[in-house]
Amino acid sequence: MSEIDNGTQKSRGLAGQIVGRIIRARYILAIAVLALALVLVSGVSFPVLLFLGIVLLLAVAAFTPVQGPQEKQSSRSEGMEGGLSRISGERLAEQLPDPMILFDAGGMVLYANKAAREAFQPLTEDTVLYLRFRAPEMHGLIQGVIADGQPRAIDYFERLPLDRWYKAMAMALDAGAGKQASFVLLFRDQTEMRRIDRMRSDFIANASHELRTPLASLRGFIETLQGPARNDEAARDRFLQIMQKQAERMARLIDDLLSLSRLEMKAHIAVTQSVDLANVLNHVVDTLTPLANGLEVTIERQIPAGSVKVMGDRDELIQVFQNLLENACKYGQSGKRVIVRLEEDGNSAGRDVVASIQDFGPGIPSEHLPRLTERFYRVDVETSRAQKGTGLGLAIVKHILTRHRGRLVIRSQVGEGSTFVVRFNAPEGRS
Protein backbone atom coordinates (compact mmCIF):
# COMPACT_ATOMS: atom_id res chain seq x y z
CA MET A 1 0.00 0.00 0.00
CA SER A 2 2.84 2.40 0.84
CA GLU A 3 4.47 1.85 -2.61
CA ILE A 4 1.16 2.57 -4.34
CA ASP A 5 0.70 5.74 -2.26
CA ASN A 6 4.24 6.90 -3.08
CA GLY A 7 3.61 6.29 -6.77
CA THR A 8 0.37 8.21 -6.64
CA GLN A 9 2.05 11.16 -4.90
CA LYS A 10 4.86 11.22 -7.50
CA SER A 11 2.29 11.14 -10.33
CA ARG A 12 0.41 14.02 -8.80
CA GLY A 13 3.63 15.95 -8.35
CA LEU A 14 4.61 15.41 -11.99
CA ALA A 15 1.14 16.39 -13.17
CA GLY A 16 1.36 19.53 -11.10
CA GLN A 17 4.71 20.46 -12.66
CA ILE A 18 3.32 19.90 -16.16
CA VAL A 19 0.28 22.07 -15.45
CA GLY A 20 2.54 24.75 -14.02
CA ARG A 21 4.75 24.74 -17.11
CA ILE A 22 1.70 24.97 -19.37
CA ILE A 23 0.37 27.96 -17.40
CA ARG A 24 3.74 29.72 -17.54
CA ALA A 25 4.03 29.03 -21.30
CA ARG A 26 0.46 29.99 -22.13
CA TYR A 27 1.44 32.86 -24.42
CA ILE A 28 3.98 30.78 -26.36
CA LEU A 29 1.44 27.98 -26.70
CA ALA A 30 -1.15 30.42 -28.01
CA ILE A 31 1.33 31.55 -30.69
CA ALA A 32 2.08 27.91 -31.55
CA VAL A 33 -1.60 27.06 -31.96
CA LEU A 34 -2.08 30.11 -34.16
CA ALA A 35 0.90 29.10 -36.29
CA LEU A 36 -0.46 25.57 -36.71
CA ALA A 37 -3.85 26.95 -37.70
CA LEU A 38 -2.21 29.05 -40.40
CA VAL A 39 -0.29 26.03 -41.67
CA LEU A 40 -3.49 23.97 -41.85
CA VAL A 41 -5.24 26.70 -43.75
CA SER A 42 -2.38 26.80 -46.25
CA GLY A 43 -2.91 23.08 -47.13
CA VAL A 44 0.43 21.60 -45.99
CA SER A 45 0.69 17.79 -45.99
CA PHE A 46 0.39 15.78 -42.73
CA PRO A 47 4.11 14.79 -42.41
CA VAL A 48 5.15 18.41 -42.70
CA LEU A 49 2.43 19.40 -40.25
CA LEU A 50 3.65 16.76 -37.75
CA PHE A 51 7.23 17.98 -38.12
CA LEU A 52 6.22 21.60 -37.51
CA GLY A 53 4.20 20.61 -34.43
CA ILE A 54 7.20 18.80 -32.92
CA VAL A 55 9.44 21.79 -33.61
CA LEU A 56 6.96 24.16 -31.94
CA LEU A 57 6.68 21.93 -28.83
CA LEU A 58 10.46 21.79 -28.51
CA ALA A 59 10.56 25.56 -28.76
CA VAL A 60 7.99 25.86 -25.98
CA ALA A 61 10.02 23.52 -23.74
CA ALA A 62 13.26 25.39 -24.46
CA PHE A 63 12.01 28.91 -23.90
CA THR A 64 9.63 28.35 -20.92
CA PRO A 65 11.27 29.80 -17.77
CA VAL A 66 11.81 27.26 -14.99
CA GLN A 67 11.99 28.44 -11.37
CA GLY A 68 14.95 27.04 -9.51
CA PRO A 69 15.19 26.76 -5.71
CA GLN A 70 16.84 30.17 -5.41
CA GLU A 71 14.26 31.84 -7.62
CA LYS A 72 11.45 30.20 -5.63
CA GLN A 73 13.00 31.41 -2.36
CA SER A 74 13.41 34.88 -3.82
CA SER A 75 9.79 34.92 -4.93
CA ARG A 76 8.65 33.76 -1.49
CA SER A 77 10.80 36.40 0.22
CA GLU A 78 9.39 39.10 -2.02
CA GLY A 79 5.90 38.00 -1.08
CA MET A 80 6.75 38.13 2.61
CA GLU A 81 8.31 41.56 2.26
CA GLY A 82 5.23 42.74 0.46
CA GLY A 83 3.07 41.46 3.30
CA LEU A 84 5.26 43.05 5.98
CA SER A 85 5.42 46.32 4.13
CA ARG A 86 1.68 46.60 4.49
CA ILE A 87 2.08 46.58 8.30
CA SER A 88 3.78 49.86 9.03
CA GLY A 89 6.22 50.21 11.90
CA GLU A 90 4.16 53.05 13.32
CA ARG A 91 1.06 50.87 13.54
CA LEU A 92 3.02 48.21 15.38
CA ALA A 93 4.54 50.78 17.76
CA GLU A 94 1.09 52.19 18.55
CA GLN A 95 0.01 48.76 19.81
CA LEU A 96 2.94 48.38 22.23
CA PRO A 97 1.83 48.46 25.89
CA ASP A 98 5.10 50.11 26.98
CA PRO A 99 6.08 53.73 26.18
CA MET A 100 8.51 54.12 23.27
CA ILE A 101 10.13 57.37 22.08
CA LEU A 102 12.31 57.93 19.00
CA PHE A 103 14.64 60.92 19.13
CA ASP A 104 17.53 62.43 17.17
CA ALA A 105 21.09 63.36 18.11
CA GLY A 106 19.87 66.71 19.43
CA GLY A 107 17.52 65.04 21.93
CA MET A 108 14.40 66.09 19.99
CA VAL A 109 11.43 63.71 19.78
CA LEU A 110 10.85 62.28 16.31
CA TYR A 111 8.01 59.96 17.32
CA ALA A 112 6.23 58.84 20.51
CA ASN A 113 3.78 55.95 20.58
CA LYS A 114 0.36 56.06 22.24
CA ALA A 115 1.58 54.63 25.57
CA ALA A 116 4.33 57.28 25.76
CA ARG A 117 1.97 60.13 24.91
CA GLU A 118 -0.43 59.03 27.66
CA ALA A 119 2.25 58.39 30.29
CA PHE A 120 4.40 61.49 29.74
CA GLN A 121 1.99 64.27 28.85
CA PRO A 122 2.63 66.66 27.22
CA LEU A 123 4.83 64.82 24.71
CA THR A 124 4.68 65.58 21.00
CA GLU A 125 7.03 65.62 18.05
CA ASP A 126 9.69 68.33 18.34
CA THR A 127 9.57 68.13 22.16
CA VAL A 128 13.07 68.38 23.60
CA LEU A 129 13.66 65.40 25.90
CA TYR A 130 15.94 67.37 28.20
CA LEU A 131 13.05 69.71 28.97
CA ARG A 132 10.44 66.97 29.42
CA PHE A 133 12.63 64.69 31.57
CA ARG A 134 14.51 66.94 33.97
CA ALA A 135 15.95 64.21 36.20
CA PRO A 136 19.78 64.15 36.03
CA GLU A 137 19.84 60.39 35.52
CA MET A 138 17.64 60.74 32.42
CA HIS A 139 19.93 63.45 31.02
CA GLY A 140 22.90 61.14 31.59
CA LEU A 141 21.11 58.26 29.86
CA ILE A 142 20.21 60.32 26.77
CA GLN A 143 23.58 62.04 26.49
CA GLY A 144 25.45 58.78 26.97
CA VAL A 145 23.67 56.86 24.19
CA ILE A 146 24.05 59.83 21.83
CA ALA A 147 27.76 60.06 22.59
CA ASP A 148 28.82 56.44 22.08
CA GLY A 149 25.74 54.61 20.75
CA GLN A 150 26.03 51.93 23.45
CA PRO A 151 22.75 50.64 24.95
CA ARG A 152 22.19 51.38 28.63
CA ALA A 153 19.40 51.37 31.22
CA ILE A 154 18.46 53.18 34.45
CA ASP A 155 15.67 53.14 37.05
CA TYR A 156 13.45 56.19 36.55
CA PHE A 157 10.77 57.57 38.88
CA GLU A 158 7.95 59.68 37.40
CA ARG A 159 6.02 61.66 40.02
CA LEU A 160 3.19 63.19 37.98
CA PRO A 161 0.33 62.61 37.39
CA LEU A 162 0.87 59.45 39.50
CA ASP A 163 3.91 57.89 41.11
CA ARG A 164 5.34 55.41 38.58
CA TRP A 165 8.59 53.47 38.50
CA TYR A 166 10.13 52.59 35.14
CA LYS A 167 13.15 50.77 33.81
CA ALA A 168 14.28 53.20 31.08
CA MET A 169 16.42 51.72 28.28
CA ALA A 170 18.13 53.73 25.51
CA MET A 171 19.80 52.39 22.38
CA ALA A 172 20.96 53.60 18.97
CA LEU A 173 19.14 52.58 15.78
CA ASP A 174 20.99 51.53 12.62
CA ALA A 175 19.96 54.32 10.28
CA GLY A 176 22.27 53.30 7.41
CA ALA A 177 25.00 55.18 5.60
CA GLY A 178 24.35 58.83 4.87
CA LYS A 179 21.24 59.01 7.06
CA GLN A 180 20.64 60.98 10.24
CA ALA A 181 21.35 59.06 13.45
CA SER A 182 18.33 58.21 15.58
CA PHE A 183 17.82 56.64 18.98
CA VAL A 184 15.03 54.93 20.91
CA LEU A 185 13.90 55.17 24.52
CA LEU A 186 11.91 52.22 25.92
CA PHE A 187 10.16 52.32 29.30
CA ARG A 188 9.19 49.15 31.19
CA ASP A 189 6.69 49.85 33.98
CA GLN A 190 8.01 48.50 37.30
CA THR A 191 5.40 50.13 39.56
CA GLU A 192 3.47 47.00 40.49
CA MET A 193 6.66 45.07 41.18
CA ARG A 194 7.93 47.89 43.40
CA ARG A 195 4.60 48.04 45.23
CA ILE A 196 4.68 44.30 45.92
CA ASP A 197 8.27 44.51 47.14
CA ARG A 198 7.38 47.39 49.45
CA MET A 199 4.37 45.48 50.81
CA ARG A 200 6.56 42.45 51.41
CA SER A 201 9.15 44.55 53.23
CA ASP A 202 6.50 46.27 55.33
CA PHE A 203 4.90 42.94 56.12
CA ILE A 204 8.19 41.41 57.29
CA ALA A 205 8.99 44.51 59.35
CA ASN A 206 5.55 44.48 61.01
CA ALA A 207 5.64 40.73 61.66
CA SER A 208 9.11 41.01 63.16
CA HIS A 209 7.96 43.86 65.38
CA GLU A 210 4.90 41.93 66.54
CA LEU A 211 7.02 38.91 67.42
CA ARG A 212 9.86 40.90 68.99
CA THR A 213 7.67 42.38 71.76
CA PRO A 214 6.49 39.08 73.32
CA LEU A 215 9.91 37.52 72.80
CA ALA A 216 11.56 40.39 74.68
CA SER A 217 9.00 39.96 77.46
CA LEU A 218 9.67 36.23 77.68
CA ARG A 219 13.42 36.72 77.82
CA GLY A 220 13.07 39.31 80.57
CA PHE A 221 10.91 37.08 82.74
CA ILE A 222 13.15 34.05 82.17
CA GLU A 223 16.21 36.05 83.29
CA THR A 224 14.31 37.29 86.35
CA LEU A 225 13.25 33.75 87.27
CA GLN A 226 16.80 32.54 86.89
CA GLY A 227 18.12 35.36 89.04
CA PRO A 228 16.39 37.49 91.70
CA ALA A 229 13.04 35.63 91.64
CA ARG A 230 14.54 32.14 91.68
CA ASN A 231 13.12 31.37 95.12
CA ASP A 232 10.14 33.77 95.05
CA GLU A 233 7.14 31.47 94.60
CA ALA A 234 4.54 34.27 94.27
CA ALA A 235 6.60 36.11 91.64
CA ARG A 236 7.23 32.86 89.80
CA ASP A 237 3.51 32.07 89.54
CA ARG A 238 2.71 35.61 88.34
CA PHE A 239 5.55 35.63 85.78
CA LEU A 240 4.63 32.21 84.43
CA GLN A 241 1.06 33.36 83.77
CA ILE A 242 2.34 36.41 81.86
CA MET A 243 4.80 34.23 79.92
CA GLN A 244 2.01 31.85 78.96
CA LYS A 245 -0.08 34.74 77.61
CA GLN A 246 2.86 36.06 75.58
CA ALA A 247 3.53 32.58 74.17
CA GLU A 248 -0.16 32.25 73.21
CA ARG A 249 0.01 35.65 71.52
CA MET A 250 2.99 34.51 69.42
CA ALA A 251 1.19 31.28 68.56
CA ARG A 252 -1.88 33.21 67.36
CA LEU A 253 0.29 35.50 65.26
CA ILE A 254 2.12 32.58 63.65
CA ASP A 255 -1.18 30.79 62.98
CA ASP A 256 -2.56 33.91 61.26
CA LEU A 257 0.62 34.35 59.22
CA LEU A 258 0.39 30.73 58.07
CA SER A 259 -3.31 31.22 57.21
CA LEU A 260 -2.47 34.26 55.08
CA SER A 261 0.29 32.36 53.33
CA ARG A 262 -2.01 29.43 52.52
CA LEU A 263 -4.72 31.79 51.25
CA GLU A 264 -2.30 33.62 48.97
CA MET A 265 -1.05 30.34 47.50
CA LYS A 266 -4.55 29.32 46.39
CA ALA A 267 -5.97 32.80 45.68
CA HIS A 268 -6.20 31.97 41.94
CA ILE A 269 -8.18 28.75 42.52
CA ALA A 270 -11.89 29.43 42.19
CA VAL A 271 -14.31 27.73 44.58
CA THR A 272 -16.52 25.08 42.99
CA GLN A 273 -18.51 23.79 45.97
CA SER A 274 -21.93 24.86 47.11
CA VAL A 275 -22.39 25.51 50.82
CA ASP A 276 -25.39 26.34 53.01
CA LEU A 277 -24.57 29.77 54.45
CA ALA A 278 -27.46 29.57 56.96
CA ASN A 279 -25.91 26.43 58.41
CA VAL A 280 -22.48 28.11 58.52
CA LEU A 281 -23.80 31.13 60.43
CA ASN A 282 -25.74 28.99 62.91
CA HIS A 283 -22.59 26.94 63.54
CA VAL A 284 -20.52 30.10 64.14
CA VAL A 285 -23.12 31.53 66.55
CA ASP A 286 -23.27 28.26 68.49
CA THR A 287 -19.48 28.15 68.72
CA LEU A 288 -19.08 31.73 69.97
CA THR A 289 -22.08 31.87 72.32
CA PRO A 290 -19.94 30.90 75.36
CA LEU A 291 -17.52 33.75 74.54
CA ALA A 292 -20.44 36.18 74.19
CA ASN A 293 -21.94 35.05 77.49
CA GLY A 294 -18.62 35.61 79.20
CA LEU A 295 -18.57 39.17 77.83
CA GLU A 296 -22.27 39.66 78.77
CA VAL A 297 -23.21 40.11 75.11
CA THR A 298 -26.41 38.69 73.61
CA ILE A 299 -26.28 37.32 70.05
CA GLU A 300 -29.56 37.72 68.14
CA ARG A 301 -30.16 35.56 65.07
CA GLN A 302 -32.09 36.70 62.01
CA ILE A 303 -31.32 33.65 59.89
CA PRO A 304 -33.86 31.90 57.59
CA ALA A 305 -35.01 28.43 58.63
CA GLY A 306 -34.31 26.98 55.18
CA SER A 307 -30.98 26.58 53.44
CA VAL A 308 -29.36 29.49 51.62
CA LYS A 309 -26.79 28.29 49.10
CA VAL A 310 -23.67 30.11 47.96
CA MET A 311 -20.51 28.98 46.20
CA GLY A 312 -17.83 28.61 48.84
CA ASP A 313 -15.47 26.61 50.99
CA ARG A 314 -17.21 25.79 54.27
CA ASP A 315 -14.11 25.95 56.49
CA GLU A 316 -12.97 29.27 55.04
CA LEU A 317 -16.41 30.85 55.39
CA ILE A 318 -16.56 29.67 59.01
CA GLN A 319 -13.22 31.43 59.50
CA VAL A 320 -14.63 34.63 57.98
CA PHE A 321 -17.72 34.82 60.17
CA GLN A 322 -15.99 33.62 63.33
CA ASN A 323 -13.55 36.48 62.91
CA LEU A 324 -16.28 39.06 62.30
CA LEU A 325 -18.55 37.83 65.10
CA GLU A 326 -15.69 37.56 67.60
CA ASN A 327 -14.63 41.13 66.79
CA ALA A 328 -18.22 42.33 67.22
CA CYS A 329 -18.48 40.69 70.64
CA LYS A 330 -15.09 41.96 71.86
CA TYR A 331 -14.96 45.48 70.42
CA GLY A 332 -18.72 46.11 70.60
CA GLN A 333 -19.02 44.70 74.11
CA SER A 334 -20.37 47.96 75.51
CA GLY A 335 -23.46 47.68 73.28
CA LYS A 336 -24.44 44.38 74.98
CA ARG A 337 -25.97 42.90 71.80
CA VAL A 338 -24.93 41.70 68.36
CA ILE A 339 -27.26 40.89 65.47
CA VAL A 340 -26.34 38.16 62.96
CA ARG A 341 -28.50 38.62 59.87
CA LEU A 342 -28.85 36.62 56.62
CA GLU A 343 -31.10 37.61 53.72
CA GLU A 344 -31.45 37.36 49.97
CA ASP A 345 -31.41 40.47 47.82
CA GLY A 346 -32.97 40.12 44.38
CA ASN A 347 -32.11 42.71 41.74
CA SER A 348 -31.96 43.11 37.97
CA ALA A 349 -28.44 41.65 37.88
CA GLY A 350 -29.45 38.47 39.72
CA ARG A 351 -29.90 37.18 43.24
CA ASP A 352 -27.39 38.14 45.96
CA VAL A 353 -26.99 36.61 49.39
CA VAL A 354 -26.19 39.18 52.07
CA ALA A 355 -24.85 38.28 55.52
CA SER A 356 -24.23 40.99 58.10
CA ILE A 357 -22.97 41.24 61.66
CA GLN A 358 -24.00 44.36 63.57
CA ASP A 359 -22.80 45.53 66.95
CA PHE A 360 -23.87 48.55 69.02
CA GLY A 361 -20.50 49.46 70.50
CA PRO A 362 -18.44 52.64 70.25
CA GLY A 363 -18.15 52.54 66.47
CA ILE A 364 -15.14 53.29 64.27
CA PRO A 365 -14.09 56.79 63.12
CA SER A 366 -14.58 57.21 59.37
CA GLU A 367 -10.90 57.90 58.64
CA HIS A 368 -10.01 54.37 59.73
CA LEU A 369 -12.58 52.50 57.63
CA PRO A 370 -10.60 52.34 54.32
CA ARG A 371 -7.59 50.78 56.06
CA LEU A 372 -9.22 48.21 58.33
CA THR A 373 -8.35 45.27 56.05
CA GLU A 374 -4.66 46.17 55.84
CA ARG A 375 -2.26 43.81 57.56
CA PHE A 376 -1.38 44.84 61.13
CA TYR A 377 -3.55 47.96 60.92
CA ARG A 378 -5.26 48.74 64.21
CA VAL A 379 -7.61 51.52 65.21
CA ASP A 380 -6.39 51.30 68.82
CA VAL A 381 -3.21 49.26 69.37
CA GLU A 382 -3.63 48.85 73.12
CA THR A 383 -7.27 47.80 72.88
CA SER A 384 -6.43 45.34 70.12
CA ARG A 385 -3.65 43.72 72.12
CA ALA A 386 -5.82 43.62 75.22
CA GLN A 387 -8.39 41.69 73.16
CA LYS A 388 -5.64 39.33 71.93
CA GLY A 389 -5.83 40.67 68.38
CA THR A 390 -2.99 40.12 65.90
CA GLY A 391 -3.95 42.81 63.39
CA LEU A 392 -4.36 40.16 60.66
CA GLY A 393 -7.96 39.04 61.14
CA LEU A 394 -9.64 41.38 58.66
CA ALA A 395 -6.80 40.90 56.18
CA ILE A 396 -7.58 37.16 56.25
CA VAL A 397 -11.29 37.92 55.81
CA LYS A 398 -10.51 40.07 52.77
CA HIS A 399 -8.32 37.36 51.17
CA ILE A 400 -10.97 34.67 51.65
CA LEU A 401 -13.76 36.84 50.26
CA THR A 402 -11.63 37.82 47.26
CA ARG A 403 -11.22 34.14 46.40
CA HIS A 404 -14.98 33.64 46.86
CA ARG A 405 -15.77 36.67 44.67
CA GLY A 406 -17.50 38.17 47.68
CA ARG A 407 -17.58 41.81 48.77
CA LEU A 408 -17.02 43.21 52.25
CA VAL A 409 -18.67 46.51 53.15
CA ILE A 410 -18.02 48.19 56.50
CA ARG A 411 -20.47 50.76 57.87
CA SER A 412 -19.86 52.50 61.15
CA GLN A 413 -20.94 55.56 63.08
CA VAL A 414 -19.11 56.73 66.17
CA GLY A 415 -21.30 56.09 69.22
CA GLU A 416 -23.77 53.91 67.29
CA GLY A 417 -21.82 50.77 66.46
CA SER A 418 -20.58 49.03 63.33
CA THR A 419 -21.98 46.70 60.68
CA PHE A 420 -19.85 44.33 58.58
CA VAL A 421 -21.74 43.28 55.47
CA VAL A 422 -20.67 40.35 53.26
CA ARG A 423 -22.36 40.03 49.86
CA PHE A 424 -22.19 36.91 47.66
CA ASN A 425 -23.50 36.18 44.18
CA ALA A 426 -25.86 33.27 44.74
CA PRO A 427 -25.75 30.21 42.42
CA GLU A 428 -28.73 29.49 40.21
CA GLY A 429 -31.57 27.75 41.97
CA ARG A 430 -32.14 27.11 45.65
CA SER A 431 -32.37 23.86 47.56
Side-chain angles (χ1 to χ4, degrees):
M1 288 294 292
S2 61
E3 292 180 357
I4 295 174
D5 291 340
N6 290 336
T8 303
Q9 291 177 359
K10 289 180 180 178
S11 300
R12 290 177 178 174
L14 181 60
Q17 292 177 5
I18 293 172
V19 171
R21 279 173 167 256
I22 292 173
I23 292 173
R24 290 195 297 273
R26 56 189 179 275
Y27 298 114
I28 299 176
L29 286 174
I31 295 172
V33 170
L34 181 60
L36 285 173
L38 292 174
V39 170
L40 286 172
V41 172
S42 64
V44 178
S45 62
F46 177 77
V48 176
L49 180 62
L50 180 62
F51 174 75
L52 291 173
I54 293 172
V55 170
L56 287 172
L57 288 174
L58 289 174
V60 169
F63 291 104
T64 300
V66 179
Q67 277 190 319
Q70 294 181 349
E71 292 173 329
K72 291 179 180 178
Q73 182 64 32
S74 175
S75 175
R76 188 179 297 111
S77 298
E78 290 175 0
M80 291 174 63
E81 289 175 3
L84 289 173
S85 66
R86 289 192 292 272
I87 305 175
S88 70
E90 185 173 336
R91 285 177 56 197
L92 288 174
E94 286 295 301
Q95 301 304 315
L96 290 177
D98 295 323
M100 184 188 79
I101 301 172
L102 296 179
F103 61 98
D104 61 18
M108 186 172 292
V109 175
L110 301 174
Y111 167 77
N113 70 350
K114 180 181 178 182
R117 295 192 301 271
E118 291 177 350
F120 306 120
Q121 298 177 8
L123 185 68
T124 59
E125 293 183 10
D126 299 332
T127 298
V128 179
L129 288 178
Y130 300 115
L131 298 179
R132 174 57 186 83
F133 300 102
R134 297 180 179 274
E137 59 269 24
M138 282 297 291
H139 286 195
L141 177 70
I142 296 167
Q143 291 168 356
V145 74
I146 291 174
D148 57 23
Q150 296 299 314
R152 59 199 70 204
I154 62 166
D155 290 325
Y156 173 65
F157 179 56
E158 179 80 3
R159 294 187 179 278
L160 297 174
L162 297 171
D163 288 354
R164 310 293 296 180
W165 280 100
Y166 293 97
K167 173 70 73 174
M169 297 165 284
M171 62 191 73
L173 298 178
D174 185 7
K179 294 185 179 180
Q180 183 182 6
S182 58
F183 308 87
V184 62
L185 261 178
L186 294 173
F187 295 84
R188 181 63 56 85
D189 196 337
Q190 305 283 308
T191 306
E192 186 65 19
M193 187 182 302
R194 294 263 183 167
R195 187 185 68 82
I196 292 172
D197 287 342
R198 185 168 58 251
M199 286 178 58
R200 186 182 295 113
S201 298
D202 292 344
F203 177 69
I204 293 172
N206 286 326
S208 300
H209 174 75
E210 292 294 328
L211 286 170
R212 186 182 297 115
T213 302
L215 277 174
S217 177
L218 285 173
R219 288 182 60 184
F221 286 122
I222 290 171
E223 290 173 359
T224 304
L225 290 173
Q226 289 176 336
R230 180 186 296 271
N231 299 316
D232 188 338
E233 185 174 347
R236 185 170 60 248
D237 291 342
R238 186 172 70 256
F239 290 166
L240 286 174
Q241 289 179 2
I242 298 173
M243 291 167 66
Q244 182 179 5
K245 290 180 180 178
Q246 296 295 344
E248 290 172 351
R249 177 183 167 191
M250 284 193 296
R252 289 193 300 272
L253 179 60
I254 291 170
D255 287 342
D256 284 350
L257 289 172
L258 291 174
S259 293
L260 268 178
S261 178
R262 285 192 295 266
L263 290 169
E264 288 175 345
M265 289 178 64
K266 59 181 181 180
H268 62 286
I269 303 174
V271 291
T272 56
Q273 304 167 308
S274 177
V275 62
D276 181 3
L277 194 57
N279 180 271
V280 167
L281 288 175
N282 281 316
H283 171 78
V284 170
V285 172
D286 292 339
T287 302
L288 292 180
T289 295
L291 171 68
N293 292 338
L295 296 172
E296 299 181 351
V297 173
T298 301
I299 301 177
E300 301 177 10
R301 309 188 200 206
Q302 296 182 11
I303 302 172
S307 64
V308 179
K309 296 289 187 178
V310 297
M311 299 301 294
D313 181 289
R314 177 179 170 82
D315 292 337
E316 291 185 3
L317 291 181
I318 287 175
Q319 189 175 7
V320 166
F321 291 105
Q322 274 186 341
N323 191 298
L324 295 178
L325 183 55
E326 185 174 347
N327 284 350
C329 291
K330 289 180 177 179
Y331 298 106
Q333 179 180 0
S334 60
K336 300 299 182 183
R337 56 192 282 256
V338 172
I339 299 175
V340 178
R341 187 180 292 109
L342 178 63
E343 55 192 349
E344 296 182 73
D345 179 20
N347 52 50
S348 58
R351 183 173 63 90
D352 285 353
V353 173
V354 182
S356 63
I357 295 178
Q358 180 181 5
D359 68 65
F360 299 88
I364 304 169
S366 57
E367 64 268 20
H368 294 288
L369 295 180
R371 301 190 60 188
L372 286 180
T373 56
E374 292 182 14
R375 298 173 180 180
F376 297 111
Y377 186 82
R378 295 179 172 97
V379 176
D380 186 329
V381 176
E382 294 303 322
T383 302
S384 175
R385 287 180 176 171
Q387 299 292 352
K388 302 179 181 180
T390 63
L392 295 173
L394 290 180
I396 292 174
V397 168
K398 178 184 176 182
H399 273 74
I400 293 175
L401 293 180
T402 298
R403 179 171 177 250
H404 284 70
R405 306 296 185 266
R407 301 184 297 282
L408 175 66
V409 179
I410 305 173
R411 305 189 187 104
S412 187
Q413 192 74 30
V414 175
E416 297 182 9
S418 306
T419 303
F420 289 76
V421 181
V422 179
R423 183 178 291 269
F424 298 93
N425 291 323
E428 294 296 325
R430 177 179 175 176
S431 58

